[in-house]
Amino acid sequence: MSKTIDARGKSCPEPVVMTKRALESLEEGIITVVVDNPTSRDNVERFAKSQGCSVDVQERGGDYLLDIVKGYPCEVRLQGRGRETPTPSFTPKVVVYVSSDIMGGGDTELGGILLRAFVKTLKDVTPRPQKLIFVNSGVRLTTGDSDLIESIRELESMGVEVLSCGTCLDYFRLKDRLRVGLISNMFDIATSLLEADSVVRP
């Protein structure tokens, strides 16, 4: 079975929500999602892969076509390995939710120093967070001349997913100055927070 979802002109996070509903209604088959901007393309692709689907992306006439494969075509690659799958050990899903460019509610300069020390320390703590989510003025830490760019890139290289709120980037006119991580949306952010075993707000 196959179907096409036209999400062109839809504001974030509607393309992801439309994709989610289409996948939920499909037992197995292919869904083609059409979007008209790179942010929606990346958000839909990331969501589909998080659901265990494979994704093929093509650009056509300024639009992006994402062929999302769900069901048997995805599962067949997991068969025939000739060994049992080991039982994974439990690793808590920790999400760090950064909603400001300072830590605490006191002195602003001190708050900036504390938050930078906190982020730089994350690479040495256990458990390491699964995701870093930046919203509101927190997106200033992933953009422009932020002195935390290299520290956040180091965390990203260790497997930490770094997400910055697209609406917040637009509000502060910083979207074209993002220097680390991905542009995210409220659906992705809400899902990440609700699925986390622990949410840390510095």
Side-chain angles (χ1 to χ4, degrees):
M1 179 180 177
S2 64
K3 63 191 303 184
T4 299
I5 305 297
D6 188 350
R8 289 174 293 185
K10 302 293 184 181
S11 59
C12 187
E14 188 63 21
V16 174
V17 174
M18 293 170 70
T19 302
K20 177 179 182 292
R21 290 171 181 163
L23 287 172
E24 289 175 343
S25 68
L26 185 69
E27 187 170 336
E28 66 177 39
I30 300 174
I31 294 172
T32 300
V33 181
V34 185
V35 297
D36 55 9
N37 63 84
T39 299
S40 294
R41 174 200 63 196
D42 295 343
N43 285 335
V44 170
E45 181 179 10
R46 187 167 65 252
F47 170 75
K49 287 181 176 179
S50 77
Q51 302 304 298
C53 298
S54 60
V55 184
D56 179 67
V57 182
Q58 299 179 41
E59 184 176 0
R60 189 177 303 167
D63 294 331
Y64 299 94
L65 283 68
L66 297 92
D67 290 326
I68 302 171
V69 184
K70 178 182 179 181
Y72 177 78
C74 301
E75 295 166 356
V76 70
R77 295 195 298 271
L78 303 178
Q79 299 174 2
R81 293 183 177 175
R83 64 175 184 265
E84 294 183 1
T85 302
T87 302
S89 57
F90 174 72
T91 301
K93 294 180 181 179
V94 179
V95 171
V96 175
Y97 181 76
V98 183
S99 59
S100 175
D101 56 353
I102 66 171
M103 186 175 188
D107 184 82
T108 301
E109 183 178 356
L110 175 60
I113 293 171
L114 293 175
L115 184 56
R116 281 153 180 77
F118 174 83
V119 172
K120 291 178 179 179
T121 303
L122 289 177
K123 68 181 189 310
D124 299 314
V125 300
T126 303
R128 189 173 296 132
Q130 181 190 56
K131 296 184 180 183
L132 278 174
I133 298 176
F134 295 89
V135 303
N136 209 311
S137 62
V139 299
R140 292 178 176 142
L141 304 177
T142 60
T143 59
D145 299 323
S146 167
D147 58 0
L148 280 178
I149 298 296
E150 291 307 317
S151 296
I152 297 172
R153 281 181 179 158
E154 186 176 359
L155 286 165
E156 193 175 38
S157 72
M158 295 175 175
V160 179
E161 189 173 3
V162 179
L163 304 176
S164 291
C165 166
T167 301
C168 306
L169 291 169
D170 281 334
Y171 182 85
F172 291 114
R173 299 180 181 177
L174 290 171
K175 184 171 281 186
D176 61 344
R177 301 191 69 197
L178 184 70
R179 295 181 58 198
V180 60
L182 302 170
I183 298 174
S184 190
N185 59 83
M186 193 52 66
F187 179 88
D188 204 359
I189 292 170
T191 300
S192 298
L193 295 175
L194 290 169
E195 289 181 348
D197 296 307
S198 177
V199 176
V200 177
R201 298 188 60 170

